[in-house]
Amino acid sequence: MATAETVLQVCAGATPQLFNPKTHLSESRSGFPSRSFIRYRKRRVHQLSCLKCENVAINHSRVVKCKCQRVESIGGLTSGDGNGTCYVDNAKEFSKIDGNKPNVLEFQTIKESTSGKEAFTSNSYLSENGIIWDKSQKVLVDQLEDEAWELLRKSVVYYCSTPVGTIAANDPTSSDALNYDQVFIRDFIPSGIAFLLKGEYDIVRNFILHTLQLQSWEKTMDCHSPGQGLMPASFKVRTVPLDGDDSATEEVLDPDFGEAAIGRVAPVDSGLWWIILLRAYGKCSGDLSVQERIDVQTGIKMILRLCLADGFDMFPTLLALFYSALLCAREMLALEDGSADLIRALNNRLVALSFHIREYYWIDMKKLNEIYRYKTEEYSFDAVNKFNIYPDQISPWLVEWMPNRGGYLIGNLQPAHMDFRFFSLGNLWSIASSLATVDQSHAILDLIESKWSDLVADMPFKICYPALEGREWQIITGCDPKNTPWSYHNAGSWPTLLWQLTVACIKMNRPEIAARAVELAEKRISKDKWPEYYDTKRGRFIGKQARLYQTWSIAGYLVAKVLLAIPNAAKILITEEDPDLVNAFSCAISNNPRRKRGPKSSQKTYIV
């Protein structure tokens, strides 16, 4: 998944995608003019000085060199022992995960033994849920985790001797690295979370601040330049000759804003993931000074101005991720005069998104029967069939597939068309971000349990279901040979989704679902050399073009294991619904022409 693809038609058309796992702005870009791009890169080189001070010494053996002493990390890659403590702001502790279930995420300190294994074994956790592990099984699992940590550390990329990220894949069997040897924003997220949970904060801090310095600051004047506020899709550490001295070299960070990607697509999701990781770093490390920095606050605002612009959510964007990033940004934004309008716009968008998605994207047996009986061509403010959906659009597979108990949020909605496919990333992230209601969140997990043989089968987890086949595949994908039915983004199985499944299950106090999926993956993922994805309807084959030793497959497994062992640590990734937003959403529901209007509320509301 490291390769930036064209807006994957596999995951639907040119309208907003609620649950497309890999979506970007679909503008076709012919690439940057080479000279302006080089100048842009060199300007950035001079900014990439020490992140702890502004002192840089220039010499012929090393161009960028800090004069300051390196501060020993609490437990980072620079400290040597890898042990650390994870903290959560006490003022932000959750009182309950939902209204019916006790809080399973009360924060505890993560303590590791000197061997680094104590916090990462899930033996006692699984036993409490009725899964009995014998000694040989535990040894095998420990060996698997040790192997995964070793592989993750081998993927670390260094810039001026400091860790700044992990490459997308380290496949020794592939002769052509393509761009899998770069540090991708989205691919680093599970790696960063794994290091945070391990107590190794430096690499995440460095990644956050270095990618911030690569953020585009120039306003877009044409389609050949990245928009202001856009974060790069990836970057690569390159060694280049020093200006004016061919005998000396310097290290530079060379960003890719999509100009080298297939289809030349801009990475709109990078900034959203960056915000989510920034919040997780602050909650886990206890170091809020990073998010309070002026340059970081400016970076957050630039991302928000980009994605709150009119029409942004009409591009093919993962709206569940968008919603989560907005909540995280609102939590971190400094309250000042300059941010008041931005926060107001942010709140308005949150209410509008939650109302629209909960009302119109939800599908279960009851809703499906309602659509089946829709009247069409309604002309009225009180129309039930607002989007003029024709009942004949209900696919035969869905009629047979929909369980009596359970439901999900569909992939896409536009006039006269609903994409009824189940998209895993969006549904899981809608649970973690509270975009879905409590009842909807449980229903999504009910559906996963009910349709386990389809969504999990032999290897978790299907990126979407079902696959596009036949004429539909030809039209929507353009006969894409990489996205044949049940492969890659067309309903392939992606092990990295394990960590997001685990976060969603822990939030709803149902970790046994994730534990079952992890146990299944452990049977073969190491033997298969940690593939990027699996093919076939049951995920039996390693993907035909899948890279081996894919970093986010490795990191996704590790994050899932740590969170299952220490479920309260999932707080760093979960966002709870704001009571004011609940109130505003209720007002929006009461003002919906489909529903009976009630008396005006005197409570605080937001303008939608």
Side-chain angles (χ1 to χ4, degrees):
M1 262 181 124
T3 305
E5 300 285 352
T6 318
V7 182
L8 244 251
Q9 295 95 335
V10 166
C11 302
T15 54
Q17 306 296 304
L18 180 60
F19 302 118
N20 186 332
K22 178 109 177 199
T23 46
H24 314 282
L25 288 177
S26 57
E27 303 175 39
S28 176
R29 297 163 26 151
S30 61
F32 289 35
S34 58
R35 290 186 179 179
S36 63
F37 178 64
I38 291 172
R39 287 199 299 270
Y40 167 80
R41 186 191 68 182
K42 287 183 177 178
R43 282 203 304 274
R44 293 301 180 206
V45 170
H46 296 297
Q47 293 181 15
L48 296 176
S49 56
C50 174
L51 297 177
K52 300 184 179 71
C53 72
E54 296 301 325
N55 300 321
V56 181
I58 307 294
N59 58 46
H60 294 291
S61 61
R62 190 183 199 78
V63 177
V64 181
K65 183 177 181 181
C66 305
K67 292 181 179 178
C68 66
Q69 294 289 329
R70 291 180 65 189
V71 179
E72 282 211 65
S73 67
I74 298 175
L77 289 171
T78 59
S79 66
D81 59 6
N83 297 324
T85 305
C86 183
Y87 301 96
V88 173
D89 183 4
N90 291 332
K92 301 292 184 181
E93 285 193 23
F94 302 159
S95 59
K96 286 195 179 285
I97 295 304
D98 61 59
N100 301 317
K101 297 182 179 295
N103 181 9
V104 297
L105 299 181
E106 290 182 4
F107 182 75
Q108 300 172 352
T109 301
I110 295 178
K111 295 182 179 178
E112 297 176 18
S113 65
T114 54
S115 65
K117 296 180 182 177
E118 181 181 323
F120 298 98
T121 175
S122 55
N123 183 48
S124 60
Y125 169 81
L126 294 175
S127 296
E128 291 172 3
N129 285 276
I131 301 176
I132 301 175
W133 294 76
D134 60 31
K135 186 174 181 180
S136 61
Q137 285 177 310
K138 184 179 183 303
V139 170
L140 289 175
V141 171
D142 283 349
Q143 291 175 348
L144 187 62
E145 292 180 50
D146 289 344
E147 177 193 349
W149 279 112
E150 182 181 356
L151 291 171
L152 183 61
R153 296 188 189 286
K154 286 181 179 179
S155 72
V156 172
V157 173
Y158 291 85
Y159 170 69
C160 294
S161 301
T162 60
V164 293
T166 53
I167 58 174
N170 193 12
D171 187 351
T173 66
S174 177
S175 59
D176 188 2
L178 293 177
N179 56 355
Y180 283 78
D181 61 348
Q182 297 184 21
V183 179
F184 278 78
I185 304 293
R186 79 174 68 86
D187 291 45
F188 179 73
I189 302 305
S191 297
I193 294 167
F195 284 123
L196 288 177
L197 295 174
K198 186 73 167 173
E200 301 180 7
Y201 309 132
D202 282 2
I203 185 172
V204 180
R205 181 180 185 273
N206 294 340
F207 172 86
I208 288 169
L209 295 178
H210 278 304
T211 50
L212 175 67
Q213 292 176 317
L214 297 173
Q215 185 181 32
S216 174
W217 280 65
E218 300 173 357
K219 289 189 176 181
T220 302
M221 300 303 294
D222 53 44
C223 63
H224 302 299
S225 301
Q228 188 177 41
L230 189 69
M231 299 293 284
S234 63
F235 65 85
K236 184 177 178 66
V237 178
R238 299 188 187 276
T239 301
V240 299
L242 182 63
D243 290 343
D245 187 350
D246 293 337
S247 64
T249 61
E250 62 178 345
E251 287 186 341
V252 300
L253 296 183
D254 189 354
D256 176 12
F257 287 91
E259 69 274 6
I262 299 173
R264 305 297 187 264
V265 289
V268 296
D269 65 326
S270 293
L272 306 180
W273 283 120
W274 183 86
I275 287 175
I276 291 169
L277 184 63
L278 173 63
R279 174 183 179 265
Y281 170 82
K283 282 190 167 291
C284 195
S285 68
D287 176 16
L288 301 182
S289 65
V290 173
Q291 67 189 49
E292 293 169 353
R293 288 172 50 143
I294 295 177
D295 57 343
V296 174
Q297 287 287 312
T298 302
I300 295 173
K301 292 175 183 178
M302 289 177 66
I303 294 172
L304 289 178
R305 290 191 182 100
L306 176 68
C307 63
L308 289 174
D310 291 341
F312 175 84
D313 48 7
M314 295 307 294
F315 287 108
T317 306
L318 182 60
L319 296 183
L321 184 66
F322 180 35
Y323 185 85
S324 179
L326 291 182
L327 286 175
C328 292
R330 188 180 66 166
E331 184 178 315
M332 295 185 291
L333 272 178
L335 299 177
E336 55 188 21
D337 294 339
S339 61
D341 290 341
L342 197 58
I343 293 175
R344 187 180 302 109
L346 188 156
N347 283 327
N348 290 341
R349 189 62 59 89
L350 285 170
V351 174
L353 272 175
S354 60
F355 170 78
H356 186 74
I357 292 170
R358 291 177 179 183
E359 275 288 283
Y360 302 123
Y361 280 68
W362 180 253
I363 189 81
D364 55 15
M365 184 60 79
K366 179 181 178 181
K367 181 66 175 180
L368 191 60
N369 201 168
E370 180 183 328
I371 295 172
Y372 181 75
R373 293 171 53 82
Y374 266 169
K375 294 179 181 180
T376 58
E377 312 296 339
E378 292 182 288
Y379 183 77
S380 169
F381 289 108
D382 298 322
V384 174
N385 187 4
K386 283 184 173 294
F387 296 93
N388 198 35
I389 302 299
Y390 292 92
D392 289 344
Q393 283 191 5
I394 299 177
S395 302
W397 72 264
L398 182 60
V399 176
E400 302 299 326
W401 194 72
M402 179 64 73
N404 291 325
R405 179 184 177 188
Y408 63 98
L409 293 158
I410 64 172
N412 191 16
L413 173 66
Q414 55 183 303
H417 177 72
M418 298 180 81
D419 184 347
F420 288 106
R421 284 175 296 163
F422 175 89
F423 287 90
S424 301
L425 178 57
N427 273 279
L428 296 176
W429 209 251
S430 70
I431 296 175
S433 65
S434 298
L435 175 58
T437 66
V438 171
D439 289 341
Q440 288 174 344
S441 297
H442 279 296
I444 292 170
L445 296 182
D446 289 340
L447 180 131
I448 290 174
E449 284 192 303
S450 176
K451 297 300 176 181
W452 190 265
S453 61
D454 294 325
L455 300 177
V456 179
D458 291 342
M459 176 57 68
F461 198 87
K462 282 294 177 191
I463 200 166
C464 64
Y465 185 91
L468 295 173
E469 299 182 277
R471 184 65 174 166
E472 192 176 25
W473 168 77
Q474 293 176 343
I475 294 173
I476 295 180
T477 73
C479 300
D480 184 354
K482 193 171 185 177
N483 284 290
T484 52
W486 309 107
S487 178
Y488 200 48
H489 291 143
N490 191 7
S493 299
W494 294 75
T496 188
L497 291 171
L498 277 173
W499 75 271
Q500 295 174 83
L501 171 66
T502 302
V503 172
C505 292
I506 288 174
K507 181 174 184 288
M508 303 314 298
N509 199 18
R510 297 171 69 174
E512 69 281 356
I513 300 175
R516 181 184 172 193
V518 169
E519 182 184 6
L520 182 65
E522 287 175 333
K523 294 180 179 179
R524 58 179 294 200
I525 192 168
S526 175
K527 295 177 183 178
D528 293 340
K529 301 178 182 178
W530 305 90
E532 181 182 12
Y533 63 93
Y534 287 79
D535 285 355
T536 75
K537 193 170 184 178
R538 292 189 57 86
R540 298 184 68 186
F541 290 176
I542 297 172
K544 55 188 173 185
Q545 295 188 40
R547 293 295 169 120
L548 303 181
Y549 299 104
Q550 183 79 14
T551 303
W552 72 354
S553 295
I554 298 165
Y557 166 75
L558 286 173
V559 172
K561 290 292 290 186
V562 176
L563 293 180
L564 286 173
I566 315 167
N568 42 4
K571 280 186 175 182
I572 68 174
L573 298 164
I574 290 171
T575 49
E576 285 299 305
E577 194 168 42
D578 188 300
D580 288 334
L581 287 179
V582 175
N583 173 55
F585 177 74
S586 299
C587 291
I589 290 289
S590 64
N591 291 329
N592 185 353
R594 285 182 56 188
R595 301 174 184 269
K596 183 178 179 180
R597 295 180 183 271
K600 292 184 178 180
S601 173
S602 60
Q603 292 179 304
K604 179 180 177 182
T605 61
Y606 294 117
I607 298 174
V608 180

